[in-house]
Structures are given as structure tokens and as C-alpha cells.
Amino acid sequence: MHMSQKIRLAGSYTYPVLAYITPWNSKGYELAKRFNSKFTHLSPIWYDLRSQGTSLILEGRHNADMGWISDLRMAGDAWVLPRVVLEAFPAELLTKKKQRSKAINLIVSECKEMGYDGIVLESWSRWAAYNILHDPKMRNLALQFIKDLGDALHAVTLERKDKKWLQLIYVIGPPHSEKLQVHDFGPKDLRSLSDAVDGFSLMTYDFSGPHNPGPNAPLKWIDSTLQLLLGTNKNSALASKILLGINFYGNDFILSGGPGGGAITGGDYLSLLEKHKPAFRWEKNSAEHLFFYSDDKHNNHAVFYPSLMSISMRLEEARKWGCGISIWEIGQGLDYFYDLL
């Protein structure tokens, strides 16, 4: 579905919907075909751009499923934008002009050769891990690289129906605290990249983990993240470029005997329901459903998994701000979630 004909919810509200698909949850490939008209963008997790000696290589073409892409093209108009993770050493990549050009050329050529509609780029979390974002010079080079990549993709015109040029969607993490840290992707970065980037995939999930069990994406936290990034820019051109992250996976945390547990898919969740027949609780503060159960070793567990109620409240949040949404990831959800889109 192309941008001019986006999905409608609650009257005249239209918004882009990006769905991620991972090769390790292959159900997502099937759902992308079946619910094609519900999505504007589909991003299979296929590529890594790595350093190899002093050069660069783009790995992942072996993941690309051309039969699936042609089925998608027959099924509807969703854009296909594989994800590329930038694993290359940033000190090399960003400071050397030749390396930057090489990286951009590798990505643009792959899109042309494979007939993609653009890419989703993930690099900020990697740059943060390499500790380069504390250095103002490196930080500027990092932003410049994204701009140059966006410009290079936008310079390639597409012949496909209503698709004018290759798109760049950029993955951003939520700030780590209410006071922005140097390495956080903040409102200034958002504004500086807004011309070069067609959408920002905002990872508003993974709020809790085995060491701090709790909700996946508390609604108040989502709201404060948007507040931090957008300030007063509600329902603006900038807000419409944010694709608010919604998790279609849940977590099963072990509450006794040290930290444990982790992500679960729809299939795991249904098995737990069948086995334990638990009572659901609505956690009002986070706006998420959860239940408790005790396993065969008498360990107590808490399970947080999306429900129609929790998802619809997050869609409403996106609508309130004028944002799109991004779903991580569709192979982990339940079929009836798509009724809401």
C-alpha cells in the first residue's frame, strides 16, 4: 500500500505501518502475504554491512527470498525495505571518505539489483556500543553518513506504481532517561535528519528484562518518549515520520531463584494458556495484560503478552501524536492482532 493511500483508522486518520519479518520466525513471511493490504512497508531482517580487513562487504543476499517478494508484489502495494545493520568499524567507516562512499554504493547497488524499494538502516545502537557518539566530530560524521545515504537512495528513481525513489527508514532507540545523554538519539538529531530520512522506526519496547521483570512497553513511557522527541510537534510532518514501535512478542519472566526468562511468541503464549488456564490481570499503570503461573519446578512466573486492548491503546497513542507504527515482529503475534490494523 503506498503512502498516498495509507491505512485508515478512526475516521480520517491515515498512517504508515511498517512490519518486520525475521527468518527465524518464518510465520511472518506468510502473514506478510496474507495481510499485505494492512501494511505500507515490509522489512525482512536480511543484511549486515561488515568490515572485512580494510574493505567492506554487504552480507545477507542468501537470505533474500525473491519468490516471496514477487508474491508480495502480486498481493498488494506494500514497499519492501530489507533491514541492513551497520556492523562495520565506525572509526574506519566514518572517517574515511572512500569507505563511506563504498558503503553507500554497496547498499544502493543491492537495492537496484534486487529490486527493493529502499532499506531500513540500523546503526545508532552499534555506534553507541563503540562509544563514538560522545565525540562531537564523530557524531557529526555519523549524522552526515545517514544524510548522504538518504540522498543517494533518493537519487534513484523507481518505475513502480506510485513509488518515486528508493526510501530510507532509520531505526532509533528510545532515550535512556528523561535527561538526554550524549549518545541518545534526540530531537535535534531527528530534525537534522528529517529531510534525508523517510521514516524513523522508534523502538518503544524492551522496557523490562529478566533483571527487572515488568511490562514490555508502559504507555506512560511511550508518551514521555514521544514528548522528548517531538515536544510540541504533535500531528506535524515530523511526527508523521515517526513509526512508533509496537511489540507483537511478549515476555515470560521467572520471579523466583534469580533472573531468568525472556521473549515468547504467540505459539508459546497459547501453550501457556492451555496448560495453566491463568487469570488475566490488567495492569493499569502500564496499560498491559499479565498473568502469573507456577512451573513444574515451582518457580513463579509473570507473563506479559500483548492483547487487543493493549495494542489498541498504543495505536490510539500513535493517532494522538500523528505517528505511524512499526511492528516487531509479525511472526511473533497472534492472527487476530491484524484485525486492529
Side-chain angles (χ1 to χ4, degrees), residues 283-303:
E283 221 274 286
K284 201 168 156 221
N285 279 332
S286 63
E288 291 190 24
H289 273 108
L290 76 153
F291 64 78
F292 297 99
Y293 75 92
S294 178
D295 66 23
D296 304 338
K297 293 180 183 149
H298 307 294
N299 286 318
N300 293 323
H301 291 241
V303 174

Side-chain angles (χ1 to χ4, degrees), residues 36-85:
N36 187 294
S37 63
K38 307 250 182 191
F39 310 119
T40 51
H41 301 69
L42 292 165
S43 184
I45 304 304
W46 285 346
Y47 288 94
D48 294 297
L49 187 74
R50 298 183 185 282
S51 299
Q52 193 180 51
T54 53
S55 188
L56 291 169
I57 75 167
L58 184 64
E59 279 183 354
R61 188 182 282 196
H62 64 276
N63 290 316
D65 184 335
M66 301 317 283
W68 175 70
I69 291 180
S70 74
D71 288 350
L72 287 174
R73 302 263 188 237
M74 307 270 281
D77 295 322
W79 299 59
V80 179
L81 310 164
R83 187 186 72 172
V84 176
V85 178

Side-chain angles (χ1 to χ4, degrees), residues 158-317:
L158 292 177
E159 299 306 311
R160 281 191 288 286
K161 185 171 130 194
D162 210 37
K163 296 176 181 175
K164 296 184 178 66
W165 47 73
L166 293 173
Q167 299 263 301
L168 174 61
I169 298 222
Y170 191 63
V171 177
I172 57 175
H176 293 82
S177 58
E178 294 199 9
K179 191 177 181 314
L180 278 174
Q181 310 293 306
V182 185
H183 57 273
D184 282 330
F185 187 95
K188 261 195 175 128
D189 303 314
L190 190 66
R191 285 195 298 273
S192 84
L193 293 182
S194 64
D195 289 340
V197 171
D198 301 287
F200 295 89
S201 181
L202 174 62
M203 298 193 289
T204 30
Y205 34 73
D206 285 343
F207 179 80
S208 304
H211 291 274
N212 58 331
N216 296 316
L219 200 55
K220 288 188 179 114
W221 172 67
I222 292 176
D223 186 65
S224 63
T225 299
L226 290 172
Q227 192 75 54
L228 203 57
L229 283 171
L230 290 168
T232 55
N233 289 312
K234 252 187 193 170
N235 295 301
S236 61
L238 197 57
S240 70
K241 287 196 170 185
I242 297 262
L243 305 171
L244 184 71
I246 295 182
N247 54 291
F248 270 16
Y249 63 90
N251 279 311
D252 177 349
F253 295 122
I254 298 172
L255 301 177
S256 43
I264 56 165
T265 65
D268 307 327
Y269 168 75
L270 294 176
S271 305
L272 287 171
L273 292 187
E274 207 171 315
K275 185 171 178 186
H276 300 284
K277 309 210 167 12
F280 282 91
R281 302 182 185 200
W282 176 251
E283 221 274 286
K284 201 168 156 221
N285 279 332
S286 63
E288 291 190 24
H289 273 108
L290 76 153
F291 64 78
F292 297 99
Y293 75 92
S294 178
D295 66 23
D296 304 338
K297 293 180 183 149
H298 307 294
N299 286 318
N300 293 323
H301 291 241
V303 174
F304 290 81
Y305 189 81
S307 60
L308 291 179
M309 178 85 167
S310 72
I311 294 170
S312 62
M313 287 180 79
R314 280 148 187 78
L315 293 176
E316 189 53 39
E317 183 73 10

